[in-house]
Amino acid sequence: MSDQTPAPRDQDAVRQSVERMSRMFSEWGFPPMAARVLFTMMAAEEDALTAAELGERIGVSPAAISGAVRYLTHVNLLIREPVPGSRRDRYRMPDDAWYEATLAKMTLFDQVAEAAKDAVEAVGGPDTNAGAHLGRMQEYFAFLQAQMFDLVAKWRDHQATAFTK
């Protein structure tokens, strides 16, 4: 960490950054409100926020936040923690959210590859036009699955040196 004092926070620039990243993720197919919640959390200095606090920052009701936090906890990008002595929950990001989300979904590529392999057989085999398309899909996702193990291992090694305090 640096001994320098951090620059003052520019709230307008923070809001613009959150909205820009949220739109980008939404364009990639991420649920829009989940994207806004995710990047609001990432831009927060606090370790955890309630649905009411998230709603206030985004400008929506806490009820509008509920589906987003449910989605984000499902994909391991948020962790829900009860507030002691209250019926409320607070939400925080895992220490290494992207790594955790990737690990949780590591078998997805393998499942897609297996389903594509079954589909190749269903359409008459790899020598059919449909079988060729599905076969390329199967090979692609099998390749990704095989590479993911090496990639997350490389991330762990990189992280050990890049984020030392």
Side-chain angles (χ1 to χ4, degrees):
M1 291 192 102
S2 172
D3 290 335
Q4 297 177 341
T5 304
R9 198 170 162 91
D10 180 342
Q11 285 305 116
D12 287 335
V14 170
R15 275 191 286 281
Q16 289 173 7
S17 294
V18 166
E19 289 304 318
R20 179 177 178 220
M21 291 186 293
S22 298
R23 273 193 312 277
M24 188 184 336
F25 267 55
S26 294
E27 289 170 4
W28 292 344
F30 209 82
M33 185 56 71
R36 291 178 78 196
V37 168
L38 175 63
F39 289 109
T40 298
M41 288 293 305
M42 291 184 77
E45 283 300 311
E46 300 87 347
D47 288 333
L49 297 169
T50 65
E53 291 166 331
L54 285 163
E56 182 180 312
R57 290 178 190 204
I58 296 171
V60 299
S61 72
I65 299 294
S66 68
V69 295
R70 188 172 30 257
Y71 176 82
L72 292 167
T73 56
H74 177 73
V75 296
N76 291 41
L77 289 171
L78 280 186
I79 297 171
R80 187 179 100 199
E81 298 173 335
V83 175
S86 171
R87 291 176 35 198
R88 291 184 177 205
D89 292 319
R90 293 178 69 77
Y91 300 93
R92 68 171 181 84
M93 296 191 69
D95 290 337
D96 198 354
W98 300 106
Y99 174 78
E100 295 296 328
T102 301
L103 283 183
K105 301 299 179 191
M106 281 281 287
T107 62
L108 180 62
F109 295 143
D110 196 41
Q111 292 168 358
V112 171
E114 191 61 36
K117 182 179 175 184
D118 293 344
V120 168
E121 293 175 25
V123 299
D127 296 328
T128 66
N129 192 40
H133 291 300
L134 290 161
R136 281 191 293 276
M137 177 184 176
Q138 186 271 326
E139 284 297 320
Y140 176 75
F141 282 98
F143 174 82
L144 286 180
Q145 179 67 33
Q147 297 302 308
M148 287 303 293
F149 291 104
D150 289 341
L151 192 56
V152 296
K154 286 178 183 178
W155 170 251
R156 281 192 309 268
D157 293 344
H158 172 78
Q159 175 179 291
T161 58
F163 300 108
T164 56
K165 293 183 179 184

